[in-house]
Amino acid sequence: MASELEVFILVAESGGFAGAARRLRLTPSAISRRVALLEDKLGVQLLSRTTRKVELTAAGEAYFARIKPLLAAIASAADDLEQFSPIPVGQLVVGAPAALLERKLVGFVEEYLHAHPQMRIELVPTELGSNVDYDFIVQSLASSDKNKVSMKLTANPWTICAAPDYLERHGTPQHPRDLQAHNCLVISTHPHWQFFVEDKELNIVPPSRLISFGSAVYRAALDGFGIARLAAFLVNDDLGTGRLVKLLDRYSDTRPRDLYLIADADKIALAKHAGFAEFIKAKFAAGF
């Protein structure tokens, strides 16, 4: 749990209790109480609170300027000590799309934790936003941040698919334009579906009966509600068992789309970071 000093720093950086609460996954009232306890201990008001905003007082600004670099130094010193540990020890925060967490990463992490009893891992859906201090993120793009390292895990192409039951009732599309006559299930962050027809890109916004996040669209596709475009990590097992059927394969977008493990470049050599990265890379290399 974050200390009162760390909570105060997050409130100052976030501009209020709500932002700090999202980053720590606590309630704003709990954040407010933690800061109030710190103010009681110090005997000075650090924050000016109104119904509209929270601001640093003059004392708060001075305290923030002194405390922030000290906490950063303490955290850096703790990281430096890890190089002396022969085994992974401590905590990691790992982010990924909720569907990937549910479908694959939870199982991988359970196996890792069984082998490393001194480790603790927090899995956070990246849909919650960027205000989380991740140690690792699994995503479909390499990072452009020069302070990050991007490790390719596996290919993860889009797959157009539907349940056999749906196709029996509504027929099988033979061309991407046939999707206009079907129930399409669309991931809200990816409303455009790309195909290649006669070596030219065809970009379609399919008529959507249901728009949601990946896990929900996947479930609806399995239930026979419509045709979906889903990532390989979600559907490969179901394609193998026949629960889902791949469609329009001859028109597939063949441009590479991969999964990457993103980490801080200055931490990846530490025992717990390096060990976890190697474990995850091995699991994905073994196949979905």
Side-chain angles (χ1 to χ4, degrees):
M1 180 179 291
S3 69
E4 291 160 5
L5 289 176
E6 291 169 323
V7 170
F8 166 68
I9 293 297
L10 285 177
V11 171
E13 291 178 335
S14 303
F17 298 129
R22 285 192 296 271
R23 293 178 68 174
L24 294 173
R25 290 171 292 285
L26 297 171
T27 64
S29 60
I31 296 295
S32 178
R33 287 194 297 271
R34 299 287 294 280
V35 175
L37 286 172
L38 178 61
E39 290 175 321
D40 288 343
K41 291 178 181 178
L42 297 173
V44 65
Q45 185 176 356
L46 300 173
L47 299 176
S48 173
R49 304 161 175 83
T50 69
T51 56
R52 298 182 62 183
K53 59 183 177 180
V54 175
E55 294 181 322
L56 289 170
T57 63
E61 289 181 356
Y63 194 61
F64 175 80
R66 292 290 299 275
I67 290 300
K68 183 178 179 180
L70 292 177
L71 289 180
I74 291 171
S76 178
D79 287 340
D80 290 343
L81 286 177
E82 290 183 12
Q83 66 183 299
F84 299 105
S85 174
I87 60 173
V89 177
Q91 174 173 317
L92 292 172
V93 179
V94 180
L100 180 56
L101 289 179
E102 296 171 7
R103 190 74 169 151
K104 294 296 178 182
L105 282 180
V106 168
F108 292 169
V109 166
E110 287 175 355
E111 183 178 338
Y112 176 83
L113 291 175
H114 280 304
H116 300 91
Q118 292 182 283
M119 283 296 299
R120 177 176 182 269
I121 292 180
E122 181 176 1
L123 296 175
V124 182
T126 47
E127 290 89 344
L128 293 180
S130 59
N131 292 326
V132 178
D133 294 325
Y134 297 109
D135 293 294
F136 291 98
I137 296 179
V138 182
Q139 61 185 39
S140 294
L141 293 172
S143 176
S144 59
D145 188 337
K146 64 181 182 181
N147 297 313
K148 302 288 186 181
V149 58
S150 300
M151 296 161 276
K152 181 179 174 181
L153 295 174
T154 188
N156 187 42
W158 289 114
T159 301
I160 309 296
C161 57
D165 175 63
Y166 173 85
L167 298 176
E168 289 176 8
R169 289 182 285 113
H170 298 277
T172 300
Q174 301 301 316
H175 190 280
R177 296 195 186 280
D178 294 344
L179 294 171
Q180 299 297 325
H182 282 271
N183 297 339
C184 292
L185 314 172
V186 176
I187 297 174
S188 56
T189 53
H190 299 283
H192 297 264
W193 294 8
Q194 290 80 31
F195 301 91
F196 275 86
V197 178
E198 297 178 353
D199 297 325
K200 294 182 180 180
E201 183 176 353
L202 176 63
N203 198 319
I204 290 178
V205 180
S208 49
R209 294 293 312 282
L210 183 148
I211 303 173
S212 191
F213 54 94
S215 294
V217 169
Y218 168 68
R219 174 52 55 189
L222 285 178
D223 290 343
F225 191 67
I227 297 174
R229 188 181 75 149
L230 293 164
F233 75 79
L234 271 175
V235 301
N236 277 357
D237 289 346
D238 300 297
L239 294 174
T241 61
R243 296 180 70 197
L244 291 173
V245 177
K246 183 182 289 189
L247 305 172
L248 303 173
D249 195 33
R250 62 178 293 196
Y251 301 108
S252 294
D253 184 348
T254 56
R255 290 172 293 190
R257 182 175 185 269
D258 302 311
L259 278 178
Y260 291 88
L261 183 66
I262 313 297
D264 289 334
D266 60 351
K267 292 184 178 180
I268 193 60
L270 298 175
K272 70 179 180 182
H273 291 73
F276 181 78
E278 290 304 314
F279 175 84
I280 291 298
K281 287 192 292 183
K283 295 303 292 184
F284 276 97
F288 284 132

